[in-house]
Each structure stands twice: as C-alpha cells, then as structure tokens.
Amino acid sequence: MNQHQRKWLAIFLCMIVIMMMMPRPSLAKLPFDVRAKAAILIDAKTGKILYQKNAKESLPVASMSKMMTQYVILNQIKEKKLSWNDGYKAKKIDQLLSTKPGLSNIPLYQGEEYTLKELYDSMMMVSANASSRALGEMAGKTDQQFIQMMNETAKQLKLSDSHFVNTSGLNNKDIHPYEVKGTNPEDENHMSAKDLALLAYHLTKEFPNELAIETTKKKVFHITDTQVIEMVNTNEMLPGGKYPYEGILGMKTGMNEAAGHGFTSHAKRGDKELISVVIGAETKEGKPSSKARFMETKKLLDYGFKQWECKRVNPADYVQQPNIEKGKQETVAIATTDQSCIMIPKTTDQPIKGKLHLKEENMVAPIEKGQKLGTMELTGPTEQYLTTELKKQATIDIIAKEAVEKENWFILLWKSIF
C-alpha cells in the first residue's frame, strides 16, 4: 500500500469514527408488535396512550360496535327516556334475525315480551344481534332514527374515524333484506382502535355501575315462560374462561369475515386501570384466530401493568424552581395540589420533560405558602392522549411549597445600586 492509499484509508477510518461518535436521533421504540390489523392501549383514568399500532385506521369492527348501541341506550336511561324494566314485544324481524344460522343470537320469538335489561344483558354477554336491533327500536322508534342517533353521538364524542349503518356490527348483506334504509347493501360499521378506546373510556367514566354484566360469566335468558337458554359470556379472559386474566372487567368481543377477531378489554390491578383494543388479531402464521385476540390482549395488558408505573409527581424532577423578584430568596420550592399518580414508563430512551406555565411572567414577592403559581405539563413521546381535551386535563396545578417574604426596602435599594 503506497503513501497515497494509506492517506485515504486514514481519512476513511476517521470518517467512520466521527460518524459513530455523532449523536443519533432518538426514536421511540415499540416494546413489541401486536399481531393485529390495529391495536391501542390506554390508561383508563386519563386517556393517556401507552401503545398504539395503526390506531387511526378506520376498519370493520363487527360486534365491538355494539358498544355504541350500549352507550346510546345507557344515555337514554340516564336521561329517563328509557328504564331497565321497559317491556318490548318481539316482532317478526326479530325472530327472523335471531334464528338465522351463523349469527350470534339469542332467539326472540314474535309476540313474546322481554325487558330492556334482558335485551341489554344478552347483547353485552353473547353479542345477541336481534337484541341490539330491538334496543335500537326502543330508543329510536325506527332503525333509521337510531342509526342517526349513533352517528350523531359519535360526532359528539369526537369519534372521527367511525361510521355506523346498523346496531349490531354485522355486514348489511348478512341481514338483508332488513338492512337500514339508505345504507349501502354491503356496508358495515367502521371504527378505529383509537375511537373504540375513546368510547370505552367514556363508558367506564360515565357508567361504571352499568358495566357489571360484562363480568358475568353465565346467566339464564328466558326465551318464553317455559323455555330458557344459558348465556355464556364471549369474553374468555373472565374467571372460568379459557384464558383467564387477573383483573379483567370487560368489555366486548367482535368477529366477522371483514373484521376478523377483535376484543376491547378493561382491566384493573391495584392503582392501574387499563383499556386495550385489538382489531383483526392473528396467529404467528398470520391466520385469523379467536384465541389470538385474547393472547394479543394479554400481551398489551401485561405491558401496561409491568412496564408502566403509577407514580406521584414531584415537579422538582421535571422543572426548575421559579425565580422570585423582590423576595428574601431568589427561588421558591414548588409542589402539586393533586396527589394522584400518573402513568410513567419504567424505562425509556427518551426522558420525560416538564414545561412550567406560570400565571404571571414575573413572580414577585410576597408569595404565600400554597399559592397557585401556574401549571405544569409533561412533554415527550410518551405523553400522548386520546384527545386534546384529555391532554389539557392532564396538566398539573403547581403551588408554592413555602412562603417567600418580600425583602425590605433598604436591601432592595442596595441591590438596585450594586
């Protein structure tokens, strides 16, 4: 090797060393991959996103869309437009839909009477399609009006990637000729994983007591006065199911050809409460599978419970103490008014930072102990929320941990001169 070649080799090696030493952009790394078309995991208390995959993609979700039927019905009860004891006499359409082979159903025979509570329980436990249609008629008087109520509610809740054409989540071709007038003959309900998580968030926040049926493994349904059927919850993660999971509370399964197998779950352990959504779960071989939706849900929930911690916030860990003008000390120690914990990842390659928003640009003494100084928001790739409103709610009030007295006039004068 001649001198010229050695020179260029040295330059080349130096460039490699320099490139290796240069700071690299830190990218948020996913802890794992969920085998599904789309998935999301959130903190159920705040709507904070802990994991997401294709979360904004609007997809067929099958019976998980019954959660919107559920939400509208529960709102009608809250507004006293309906009650749990209201009766419903089954129609011919209910009998035809509920006895059609291949559909998730509890038989509703024409002329038989059922209570709203019975229909609601069968919809949530075993995804009864005719029961969801009957509930829609009870609330909206007609199928068409109830579908309009569902879509209007979606707009109110800011479910921007959702559209409903029936109460059940079936493809319209499966319920032909009973599809809602004005809808596409081959259309079906579409939602994104993020929208499902947001809907689940509202359900758990607004109707915590009404969700108890989702934890019931078995219950009897009276088809007639003399004929009963045992309903077995489709949620196999409940105690007694095939894949029991500690802390599971609900919520809804879904499955059809277009949607694949999906599950929206709600679970709680200690001070952590999570909501997960899986749409179109698959096996390692890439095949749709009922078991896969529960295994992928377990993967999400395990990640949330094991890799995140509910931690009380010490603002001093994230922001500097505010400067104080004309005080006997130049800074003031700070604390929070809220003693609740927030979800923080146990390990991350991108540290969480804080941003302090003071009520006044210049804080001037005297400052009283407990005086509100402003708010703090946490920033960084892990600080994502379902909506901007929930992000705003996540800001933390900051108060003075101590009093700061005003300096006497002589010292202030002295400081201004020197």
Side-chain angles (χ1 to χ4, degrees):
M1 182 181 294
N2 59 36
Q3 186 175 359
H4 182 73
Q5 290 174 321
R6 286 197 296 270
K7 176 183 176 182
W8 281 107
L9 177 61
I11 293 172
F12 177 71
L13 292 173
C14 287
M15 290 178 66
I16 291 177
V17 172
I18 292 171
M19 289 175 67
M20 292 178 65
M21 295 178 64
M22 287 176 64
R24 299 178 182 179
S26 181
L27 300 177
K29 297 178 181 177
L30 296 178
F32 52 81
D33 182 43
V34 174
R35 289 192 291 268
K37 296 176 185 176
I40 194 169
L41 176 70
I42 69 164
D43 172 24
K45 296 178 183 178
T46 64
K48 183 174 181 175
I49 299 172
L50 313 184
Y51 174 95
Q52 57 183 324
K53 174 184 178 179
N54 300 332
K56 284 281 292 175
E57 185 176 355
S58 187
L59 296 165
V61 292
S63 287
M64 287 192 287
S65 59
K66 286 186 174 80
M67 291 166 59
M68 177 54 80
T69 303
Q70 175 189 21
Y71 184 85
V72 175
I73 293 297
L74 292 178
N75 257 315
Q76 292 276 299
I77 294 172
K78 182 175 71 173
E79 295 171 1
K80 302 190 183 303
K81 295 177 180 178
L82 292 173
S83 73
W84 291 112
N85 294 322
D86 285 349
Y88 175 80
K89 184 176 287 189
K91 297 182 177 180
K92 181 179 180 180
I93 183 176
D94 300 313
Q95 181 168 329
L96 291 171
L97 283 175
S98 63
T99 55
K100 188 174 182 179
L103 302 182
S104 299
N105 266 311
I106 290 294
L108 302 181
Y109 293 145
Q110 183 178 1
E112 293 291 334
E113 292 192 4
Y114 309 95
T115 66
L116 184 150
K117 184 66 167 66
E118 289 174 324
L119 297 171
Y120 175 85
D121 288 355
S122 64
M123 179 179 72
M124 299 314 301
M125 283 189 65
V126 294
S127 208
N129 295 309
S131 293
S132 69
R133 196 215 71 82
L135 288 167
E137 183 171 313
M138 292 181 76
K141 309 309 176 187
T142 68
D143 294 342
Q144 199 166 11
Q145 288 181 20
F146 188 75
I147 298 307
Q148 185 177 345
M149 291 169 66
M150 293 174 75
N151 285 307
E152 287 176 352
T153 302
K155 289 181 181 178
Q156 293 168 7
L157 297 180
K158 298 187 177 179
L159 309 186
S160 57
D161 306 306
S162 298
H163 178 67
F164 302 95
V165 296
N166 57 52
T167 62
S168 63
L170 291 170
N171 190 293
N172 272 348
K173 66 183 179 182
D174 293 326
I175 56 177
H176 180 77
Y178 305 109
E179 66 269 25
V180 177
K181 292 180 180 179
T183 62
N184 188 307
E186 295 189 356
D187 201 359
E188 60 186 279
N189 298 339
H190 282 68
M191 299 184 74
S192 65
K194 189 174 182 180
D195 280 0
L196 275 166
L198 182 54
L199 178 57
Y201 170 85
H202 281 287
L203 281 165
T204 57
K205 285 289 185 182
E206 298 176 37
F207 304 106
N209 298 326
E210 289 79 2
L211 307 185
I213 189 63
E214 296 172 17
T215 64
T216 303
K217 184 60 182 175
K218 296 180 180 180
K219 189 174 184 179
V220 168
F221 184 92
H222 291 266
I223 302 172
T224 67
D225 290 340
T226 58
Q227 185 180 0
V228 299
I229 188 172
E230 185 179 55
M231 299 186 295
V232 180
N233 202 311
T234 57
N235 178 2
E236 293 289 358
M237 298 185 81
L238 291 172
K242 291 181 180 178
Y243 319 106
Y245 190 84
E246 179 189 348
I248 200 76
L249 299 174
M251 299 180 69
K252 189 73 191 73
T253 58
M255 189 280 291
N256 67 15
E257 184 177 351
H261 296 265
F263 183 42
T264 298
S265 83
H266 177 210
K268 184 176 182 181
R269 289 183 182 175
D271 54 8
K272 300 176 191 174
E273 189 175 348
L274 306 174
I275 290 170
S276 72
V277 178
V278 172
I279 301 174
E282 297 178 340
T283 63
K284 292 179 180 179
E285 295 73 31
K287 296 181 180 180
S289 161
S290 177
K291 178 181 178 180
R293 60 181 163 184
F294 300 118
M295 294 299 97
E296 298 309 293
T297 294
K298 179 182 183 300
K299 188 186 295 183
L300 279 170
L301 295 176
D302 281 349
Y303 167 66
F305 286 127
K306 295 177 182 179
Q307 300 302 320
W308 289 72
E309 59 183 332
C310 206
K311 188 177 180 181
R312 297 195 184 280
V313 173
N314 177 10
D317 293 339
Y318 303 100
V319 294
Q320 292 184 340
Q321 296 177 339
N323 293 322
I324 303 298
E325 298 181 7
K326 300 182 179 180
K328 289 189 174 181
Q329 59 193 60
E330 295 182 349
T331 61
V332 59
I334 52 178
T336 66
T337 58
D338 190 358
Q339 294 303 306
S340 62
C341 59
I342 61 172
M343 292 291 277
I344 300 289
K346 290 183 178 179
T347 58
T348 177
D349 58 353
Q350 296 193 10
I352 301 167
K353 298 180 181 179
K355 185 183 294 184
L356 187 60
H357 304 283
L358 298 175
K359 289 179 67 177
E360 300 176 7
E361 186 175 347
N362 299 313
M363 303 300 297
V364 181
I367 301 292
E368 297 180 1
K369 182 178 180 180
Q371 178 180 329
K372 182 176 178 179
L373 305 179
T375 59
M376 181 185 73
E377 66 171 310
L378 299 183
T379 62
T382 61
E383 294 303 306
Q384 301 180 57
Y385 290 77
L386 288 173
T387 66
T388 54
E389 288 77 11
L390 290 173
K391 171 64 176 172
K392 290 177 182 177
Q393 292 177 24
T395 58
I396 302 160
D397 287 343
I398 297 298
I399 60 172
K401 194 175 181 179
E402 58 187 347
V404 178
E405 296 180 9
K406 186 175 181 179
E407 189 59 275
N408 66 64
W409 68 269
F410 180 77
I411 298 296
L412 291 174
L413 177 62
W414 181 268
K415 288 181 178 179
S416 67
I417 296 173
F418 298 99

